[in-house]
Amino acid sequence: EADIYQTPRYLVIGTGKKITLECSQTMGHDKMYWYQQDPGMELHLIHYSYGVNSTEKGDLSSESTVSRIRTEHFPLTLESARPSHTSQYLCASSELLGMQFFGPGTRLTVL
Amino acid sequence: AQSVAQPEDQVNVAEGNPLTVKCTYSVSGNPYLFWYVQYPNRGLQFLLKYITGDNLVKGSYGFEAEFNKSQTSFHLKKPSALVSDSALYFCAVSSASGGSYIPTFGRGTSLIVHP
């Protein structure tokens, strides 16, 4: 079944820890995205990718990094988490004309 | 640069009444327009899109939207609101500008349907 997955759904960690948020899609989409969203608020694009070995920074400056080694996989890494990183992170993939499919999100809390 | 405006942070409507959630956009070239809905603690779900063709687009859950090129608007509508329609609604636009098709989202509108 075509879908987009994010793990973990919820994560509580201490300051200074390194974390990786996983995102995988089974639809064969070339484009993938990471958004940061505080609850009930607007979406902020932090990273996107046009395909394998392509990564771009989005509109919102972020201390995170991404990689795209395989079409279906687009992980996001925070080398040293801080309380200011507390937020919800949404992964999405899309067809050429921008219609996006979103994962369920990872709710990150940094203590 | 492309942009989207959702002028209302919140829309309140009684169950059974028609609802409208407003969206205007600015883009170079032809716009590709989308509406998404987000329920609490969930990702966004696609509702409908306008790429080309008929200005009135029908989507999921009885929603529809009308593309108005002269007013650069793409308002979301439903003839009869349900309490279960209460959620956060996002309008988005993308274009071929630079060949990117990277969508730009509005700030979102919270729809509250009262019983």
Side-chain angles (χ1 to χ4, degrees):
Chain A
E1 180 181 336
D3 210 338
I4 181 163
Y5 305 93
Q6 289 187 245
T7 57
R9 290 293 313 278
Y10 302 92
L11 180 62
V12 180
I13 60 167
T15 297
K17 299 292 186 183
K18 177 181 179 178
I19 61 166
T20 296
L21 307 184
E22 301 287 350
C23 177
S24 294
Q25 51 99 1
T26 60
M27 293 170 280
H29 290 159
D30 285 329
K31 288 185 170 179
M32 295 190 74
Y33 314 77
W34 277 103
Y35 293 90
Q36 185 175 340
Q37 182 192 31
D38 290 331
M41 303 296 285
E42 62 190 296
L43 297 167
H44 296 284
L45 180 65
I46 51 176
H47 297 283
Y48 60 98
S49 167
Y50 288 110
V52 172
N53 294 325
S54 156
T55 61
E56 304 284 344
K57 289 188 180 294
D59 304 324
L60 181 68
S61 175
S62 173
E63 295 163 345
S64 58
T65 59
V66 291
S67 62
R68 190 87 183 276
I69 299 173
R70 304 197 314 267
T71 297
E72 63 271 22
H73 195 213
F74 191 43
L76 181 145
T77 299
L78 278 167
E79 291 291 334
S80 180
R82 295 206 304 268
S84 61
H85 296 137
T86 294
S87 190
Q88 175 164 253
Y89 293 84
L90 293 172
C91 180
S93 68
S94 77
E95 304 167 337
L96 174 64
L97 294 183
M99 171 187 166
Q100 291 171 301
F101 295 82
F102 283 81
T106 294
R107 180 70 62 86
L108 173 65
T109 302
V110 184
L111 302 175
Chain B
Q2 60 194 28
S3 65
V4 176
Q6 292 182 242
E8 301 153 319
D9 290 335
Q10 185 171 300
V11 170
N12 291 277
V13 64
E15 186 174 32
N17 284 0
L19 69 88
T20 298
V21 183
K22 295 180 180 178
C23 172
T24 59
Y25 66 90
S26 174
V27 69
S28 299
N30 294 323
Y32 303 106
L33 295 154
F34 309 87
W35 276 103
Y36 296 86
V37 60
Q38 185 180 32
Y39 298 101
N41 300 313
R42 302 290 294 276
L44 276 68
Q45 297 176 30
F46 169 76
L47 275 180
L48 51 79
K49 66 180 178 182
Y50 172 83
I51 303 296
T52 187
D54 289 341
N55 290 341
L56 184 63
V57 178
K58 294 187 182 296
S60 307
Y61 312 120
F63 284 95
E64 59 188 29
E66 185 165 12
F67 170 62
N68 187 318
K69 187 173 183 178
S70 62
Q71 297 185 5
T72 61
S73 67
F74 191 57
H75 301 330
L76 181 70
K77 299 183 179 185
K78 187 173 182 180
S80 179
L82 300 173
V83 172
S84 58
D85 292 330
S86 298
L88 191 56
Y89 290 80
F90 289 96
C91 181
V93 66
S94 70
S95 72
S97 174
S100 66
Y101 296 105
I102 301 298
T104 297
F105 283 82
R107 295 171 62 90
T109 298
S110 177
L111 173 66
I112 299 175
V113 181
H114 302 277

